Amino acid sequence: MRIMLLGPPGAGKGTQGKKLVEKYGIPWIATGDILREAVSKGTKLGVEAKSYMDKGELVPDSLVEGIIKSRLEEDDCKNGFILDGFPRNLAQSQSLDDYLEARGEKLDAVINIRVEDDVLVQRVSGRLVCPKCGRNYHLVTSPPNRDGVCECGGKLFSRDDDNPGTVRARLEVYSSETAPLIDYYKEKKILHEVDGTGGPEEVFKRICGIIDSLPLEGAGG
Ligand code: AMP
């Protein structure tokens, strides 16, 4: 089962991705997380990516496509994967399609999580992330029990690009670069729209409803 989660920053792709891993047992691959890890380790990729990420711009395709393709070669992707944050423009979509086609594979579904802009801004400003388990909190709507500390004990942080100015830039990049993917996948008849408002459990049920009704080939898809 090869799924891609599409949606603007704050739509809940990461939250849903983690829940899908638990239910379907296939890996969740988030380019933003891979890039943030590279930045925090100070690798060559991280140093190059950081200047784009800090401005809310897309990191060059060549860098991102390389990391995704090597990740997809790993053993745990044999029975499928959940992509989050890739592809993010038409060139990346085409490149992914070509890559999968060469392996005799294709995406089974693209799930577009729709949320209004004002809700997105409210969700992203105030977001707290756990570096240890990846869980997200919100200062107002879902604060941690202990200030600044995750349930797992991790020390929560705010992403550098979750400040109001960068969030606006990311939303603009989403509408100019990423939103055209909606029509691209609609034409391929694999696009599924999901209402991303409400609590994580509600949205998760909607997404599982779609996945469970997909006509998948063979066991495990
Ligand atoms: P995210 O965690 O998905 O919000 O991504 C954070 C940042 O990482 C984005 O604002 C981009 O700068 C960069 N990024 C993540 N995925 C991609 C991608 N597929 N192509 C280019 N840049 C990306």
Side-chain angles (χ1 to χ4, degrees):
M1 179 168 74
R2 299 172 196 93
I3 307 278
M4 179 216 167
L5 299 177
L6 182 62
K13 302 184 297 295
T15 302
Q16 297 301 325
K18 275 171 230 126
K19 293 172 87 60
L20 291 168
V21 170
E22 277 171 33
K23 174 157 172 150
Y24 295 99
I26 50 175
W28 163 64
I29 302 170
T31 39
D33 278 8
I34 297 173
L35 291 169
R36 273 185 292 281
E37 198 185 334
V39 170
S40 75
K41 285 186 177 156
T43 65
K44 192 165 168 277
L45 166 71
V47 171
E48 209 167 336
K50 188 175 182 335
S51 58
Y52 298 94
M53 296 171 78
D54 284 347
K55 285 184 275 185
E57 292 172 4
L58 294 187
V59 172
D61 294 346
S62 55
L63 293 182
V64 184
E65 286 169 9
I67 52 175
I68 280 291
K69 286 174 188 170
S70 58
R71 178 67 186 87
L72 293 178
E73 305 283 328
E74 287 178 35
D75 251 16
D76 62 341
C77 293
K78 271 205 310 264
N79 289 329
F81 48 78
I82 300 153
L83 286 178
D84 163 357
F86 184 91
R88 228 162 166 122
N89 60 28
L90 287 169
Q92 292 180 9
S93 301
Q94 193 58 63
S95 163
L96 176 67
D97 281 352
D98 294 347
Y99 173 77
L100 292 176
E101 196 182 328
R103 295 181 7 159
E105 297 172 356
K106 63 177 180 51
L107 282 180
D108 295 301
V110 172
I111 298 177
N112 183 34
I113 310 179
R114 280 182 291 111
V115 178
E116 297 295 322
D117 273 11
D118 52 347
V119 178
L120 295 172
V121 173
Q122 186 263 331
R123 279 188 186 176
V124 173
S125 21
R127 172 157 67 179
L128 295 171
V129 186
C130 175
K132 221 166 130 193
C133 71
R135 190 176 157 165
N136 282 359
Y137 294 84
H138 190 278
L139 279 171
V140 178
T141 54
S142 55
N145 287 333
R146 274 176 61 206
D147 269 1
V149 183
C150 180
E151 232 171 43
C152 78
K155 193 168 176 291
L156 300 173
F157 73 100
S158 298
R159 279 172 46 172
D160 288 344
D161 59 353
D162 275 352
N163 66 77
T166 315
V167 170
R168 249 190 318 276
R170 287 160 65 203
L171 286 173
E172 275 165 26
V173 167
Y174 177 80
S175 66
S176 61
E177 303 266 335
T178 313
L181 270 53
I182 296 173
D183 281 343
Y184 178 87
Y185 291 114
K186 214 180 257 175
E187 270 173 34
K188 293 187 178 290
K189 304 200 183 336
I190 55 170
L191 186 87
H192 301 262
E193 304 270 7
V194 167
D195 174 6
T197 53
E201 279 308 322
E202 255 175 280
V203 179
F204 185 58
K205 270 192 202 142
R206 294 177 198 137
I207 293 179
C208 293
I210 291 170
I211 293 179
D212 293 339
S213 62
L214 289 175
L216 297 173
E217 294 159 18

